[in-house]
Amino acid sequence: EEEEMIVMALLHDVCEHTVPSGHGPAAALILGPYLSEQNRWVLENHEVFQGYYYYHLAGQDRNARDQHRDSQYFDACARFCELYDAPSFDPDFEN
């Protein structure tokens, strides 16, 4: 994995405690100047993509991320959440 992606994976939730709803865009404001356009977009939009893994448990549409289906970065964001964000909530994940 590229170094930029690793750093982003480690820091992507840096604003979650101060801006729980909207922490992706908030983190993108802080980290965005140091990221590629793709990774800035991924960071900014990862919340709705992460929702794929739990929105249905809260009575919401788990496919809400499909609103971004036309983005050239859709697959990158889905991959980021699958590999780095979703596993961080799995107590049985082996690292």
Side-chain angles (χ1 to χ4, degrees):
E1 198 69 68
E2 292 182 17
E3 182 177 345
E4 182 178 309
M5 177 63 72
I6 293 167
V7 172
M8 187 176 78
L10 292 171
L11 299 176
H12 77 280
D13 282 339
V14 69
C15 295
E16 190 163 20
H17 292 288
T18 54
V19 188
S21 181
H23 71 275
L29 286 172
I30 295 169
L31 300 173
Y34 307 101
L35 300 174
S36 67
E37 181 180 336
Q38 173 179 295
N39 285 337
R40 185 207 46 79
W41 192 95
V42 167
L43 182 58
E44 189 171 282
N45 293 284
H46 82 277
E47 285 179 88
V48 72
F49 280 75
Q50 180 61 12
Y52 178 79
Y53 298 95
Y54 72 90
Y55 278 1
H56 62 289
L57 300 173
Q60 296 176 330
D61 181 9
R62 74 181 309 192
N63 293 307
R65 68 185 188 175
D66 286 348
Q67 66 186 305
H68 298 294
R69 182 67 65 182
D70 292 337
S71 171
Q72 63 182 330
Y73 304 129
F74 182 93
D75 291 338
C77 197
R79 179 181 180 276
F80 173 79
C81 288
E82 178 183 354
L83 296 180
Y84 302 110
D85 209 5
S88 69
F89 294 96
D90 181 356
D92 298 323
F93 180 76
E94 291 187 32
N95 57 23

